[in-house]
Amino acid sequence: MPRIRKIIPGVDPKLLIKDAAKLLPNPTRRLFLRGATSLGALTFFTGCDIVDGDSAERVLRRVSRFNDAAQAWLFDPNKLAPTYPASAITKPFPFNAYYQEDEAPEVAAEGFKLEVGGMIDNKEPWMLDRLYALPQETQITRHVCVEGWSAIGQWTGVRLSEFLRRLGADTRAKYVWFQCAEGYSNTIDMPTALHPQTQLTFKFADEILPRKYGFPMKCRIPTKLGFKNPKHVIGIHVTDKNLGGYWEDQGYNWFSGL
Ligand SMILES: Nc1nc2c(c(=O)[nH]1)N[C@H]1C(S)=C(S)[C@@H](COP(=O)(O)O)O[C@H]1N2
Ligand SMILES: [Mo]
């Protein structure tokens, strides 16, 4: 007997397909919408049939996971994000977080220690002056937020790859996880962590990172959307487990590359 494909009650398949397409990177999305606007295509992409039991949310999550794999595969570890002249810097640079600016966490510099853990050899925490003594670089790059704005800023810090080297990190591990002071968190893939422009950032516009922009440090990743750039970093773990993140856990696409 042929299997009857039953749509989840209350779900408009056309809308579901449109939502799913949103999660795909652009060329894939265009192809998907042009040639394959069918539930069959969705089934093909996600490997799951939209039959009873498969919730729309689960289907979308699978598309997102498919998308992570496709994007990770497309990610070129040597391709650089564009850089800009100082005259292009956006002033004032926008603040954004899941709370208001005056609620940004206040991390005390005195006695601060960055916790490091997971698949690394050297697990002693790092005091700020030791971090500030690391070799540093400055980048002027564009920060792109999913909420519909972008801005160019100047960030200074140590390459994350260099910091990981000093930790004796096992770079065969799959992920790097960031823990933030106010409960935000973020996981990135190792190729992104080792990208030459991925920076453990201590300064914004030549000043020690102001509170609103992520004191004591942030991770600046110009190849990723804004929400994958954690501010107020207090812990870094090298891990084989994708520990997710604040927005990723709420359904944002995990890879979120640019
Ligand atoms: N700790 C922490 N990091 C965070 C966020 C946050 O709420 N908490 N918001 C993210 C989002 S969505 C954006 S767009 C950028 C904003 O950084 P900015 O304030 O430097 O513009 O920080 C990202 N990193
Ligand atoms: Mo954002």
Side-chain angles (χ1 to χ4, degrees), residues 116-124 126 130 134 160-173 176 190 194 236-239:
V116 288
M119 296 158 72
I120 60 173
D121 292 333
N122 315 315
K123 295 199 171 153
E124 331 83 85
W126 287 64
R130 204 166 141 233
L134 290 168
L160 186 63
S161 62
E162 173 61 22
F163 185 60
L164 291 175
R165 195 180 67 76
R166 289 177 190 236
L167 295 181
D170 182 348
T171 52
R172 289 167 308 179
V176 177
M190 187 58 79
L194 299 178
I236 298 180
H237 285 245
V238 175
T239 156

Side-chain angles (χ1 to χ4, degrees), residues 93-99 143-145 147 149 155 180-182 184 212-213 218 226-232 247:
F93 193 85
F95 161 85
N96 198 31
Y98 66 93
Y99 41 76
H143 171 111
V144 182
C145 172
E147 288 169 55
W149 58 271
W155 291 274
C180 306
E182 86 287 36
Y184 198 85
K212 64 175 173 178
Y213 296 138
K218 69 177 273 175
F227 80 88
K228 299 289 293 184
N229 289 233
K231 303 192 284 184
H232 311 289
W247 290 113

